[in-house]
Amino acid sequence: MIAICYRLFHEQLAKFLAWRYHSQIMDMKTYIATEGRDSAKQLASLAGTNYAYLTQIASGFRKPSGRLTLLLEHHSMGKLTRHELRPDLYPET
């Protein structure tokens, strides 16, 4: 009985963690809207670009370079993913 409860608990925990991980992945427009302008400005600074360029990425006028894509993914702590930003360069595996 305890083994069954333990297994069910871990199954539910795994489902929750998968949902939590996937619910945090977002595009640039959503990132700016949810994290706020100040966080987006800080992200831009850490990635070596500016806020205006991030808003151009968010609106679809520009695409980030491969290098910038990786920096944005890293400095956003995975909230922005390389696949979400540049699916042409980094297809989903």
Side-chain angles (χ1 to χ4, degrees), residues 8-38:
L8 289 174
F9 170 76
H10 281 297
E11 287 174 4
Q12 292 300 316
L13 180 62
K15 287 179 185 178
F16 171 76
L17 292 175
W19 170 82
R20 180 80 174 133
Y21 172 76
H22 290 293
S23 68
Q24 289 183 338
I25 296 173
M26 56 187 81
D27 61 8
M28 183 61 72
K29 188 174 185 176
T30 307
Y31 181 88
I32 293 171
T34 57
E35 299 296 318
R37 185 176 181 173
D38 291 336

Side-chain angles (χ1 to χ4, degrees), residues 8 36 61 69 79 84 86 88:
L8 289 174
F61 289 120
T69 299
K79 290 182 180 178
E84 189 67 40
R86 288 296 303 265
D88 56 325

Side-chain angles (χ1 to χ4, degrees), residues 61-90:
F61 289 120
R62 297 207 184 252
K63 290 183 179 180
S65 67
R67 181 178 181 277
L68 180 58
T69 299
L70 296 176
L71 288 169
L72 291 171
E73 180 180 48
H74 174 75
H75 291 297
S76 72
M77 310 271 271
K79 290 182 180 178
L80 297 168
T81 65
R82 61 186 78 181
H83 172 71
E84 189 67 40
L85 294 170
R86 288 296 303 265
D88 56 325
L89 294 179
Y90 304 103

